[in-house]
Amino acid sequence: MSHRPLIRCYVLVLLLAFGHSFSSAEPYLNTTKRFSINITAPWTTATIPDPTAELFLRCDPTECGPKVLLSFGAIFDENFRTGTLADFLKYTNGTSITQEIKNLPMVAKVRLVREGPRKVGKADGYEVLSEITVKDGRKRMRHTFITFNAGYIYSINLGCPPDAHEHALAAAKPILASFQVN
């Protein structure tokens, strides 16, 4: 008896399973701000009234813990149309970003945890990890990823409780890896 039909059936099942898991990605394309990502589980889109971001994603609390958000924002600055990441970093770094966060009305204190170069998708970028203490004493982590292209400055922010940060970052990595400028 030939095992070829059984092997073909097994290969077909594997291909269908791979195709099914791949098709679970929901593409997001912002033609105005010229970027795209693939939204994958455990993340879903969220509607939050905040004009500073183009898109908010919420992580399933059973996967990432409570109140884990990922936001994507982009602004255009003509001065950076032909600039490099090094040019941009002359004006922005972890200290300047944490100072901006500290100026928010609900923030009592900000501590810079780390900063440095980091890929955002295939683009060169920069990361800033901060611990925020809110005025009521609660703490949150804010992990900011910055990159830019043709004058657009992209800011991706992961916000979560400190004890959920590592797991939330691991859950966000596939989305961060899918980031593309268009």
Side-chain angles (χ1 to χ4, degrees), residues 8-104:
R8 285 185 187 154
C9 183
Y10 182 67
V11 169
L12 181 60
V13 167
L14 285 175
L15 288 173
L16 289 173
F18 175 74
H20 176 69
S21 64
F22 181 73
S23 67
S24 67
E26 176 188 337
Y28 173 84
L29 172 64
N30 187 315
T31 54
T32 305
K33 303 291 179 148
R34 301 169 55 182
F35 76 94
S36 64
I37 59 166
N38 288 321
I39 304 168
T40 56
W43 298 91
T44 56
T45 57
T47 303
I48 297 175
D50 184 343
T52 63
E54 312 301 315
L55 173 68
F56 283 96
L57 302 179
R58 183 179 318 257
C59 189
D60 183 330
T62 60
E63 288 289 323
C64 296
K67 300 179 182 176
V68 176
L69 291 172
L70 188 60
S71 67
F72 293 81
I75 59 170
F76 182 78
D77 186 330
E78 180 68 38
N79 296 319
F80 293 107
R81 185 178 281 279
T82 59
T84 65
L85 182 60
D87 295 332
F88 179 72
L89 292 174
K90 290 176 186 172
Y91 303 99
T92 302
N93 60 29
T95 302
S96 64
I97 289 172
T98 55
Q99 190 59 42
E100 288 296 318
I101 295 169
K102 189 166 180 4
N103 291 335
L104 296 173

Side-chain angles (χ1 to χ4, degrees), residues 54-169:
E54 312 301 315
L55 173 68
F56 283 96
L57 302 179
R58 183 179 318 257
C59 189
D60 183 330
T62 60
E63 288 289 323
C64 296
K67 300 179 182 176
V68 176
L69 291 172
L70 188 60
S71 67
F72 293 81
I75 59 170
F76 182 78
D77 186 330
E78 180 68 38
N79 296 319
F80 293 107
R81 185 178 281 279
T82 59
T84 65
L85 182 60
D87 295 332
F88 179 72
L89 292 174
K90 290 176 186 172
Y91 303 99
T92 302
N93 60 29
T95 302
S96 64
I97 289 172
T98 55
Q99 190 59 42
E100 288 296 318
I101 295 169
K102 189 166 180 4
N103 291 335
L104 296 173
M106 71 289 232
V107 174
K109 185 171 109 177
V110 181
R111 180 176 64 88
L112 178 62
V113 176
R114 74 171 182 256
E115 67 178 306
R118 174 127 182 197
K119 289 283 189 186
V120 181
K122 293 182 180 170
D124 289 334
Y126 200 76
E127 74 172 332
V128 176
L129 177 60
S130 306
E131 181 183 69
I132 299 169
T133 304
V134 188
K135 289 195 175 175
D136 67 5
R138 290 178 299 129
K139 294 190 180 220
R140 297 224 5 120
M141 301 304 286
R142 179 178 168 145
H143 206 149
T144 301
F145 304 89
I146 300 169
T147 190
F148 74 99
N149 183 52
Y152 282 95
I153 302 165
Y154 301 98
S155 176
I156 303 165
N157 295 288
L158 174 64
C160 60
D163 60 341
H165 178 256
E166 290 304 317
H167 193 72
L169 181 59

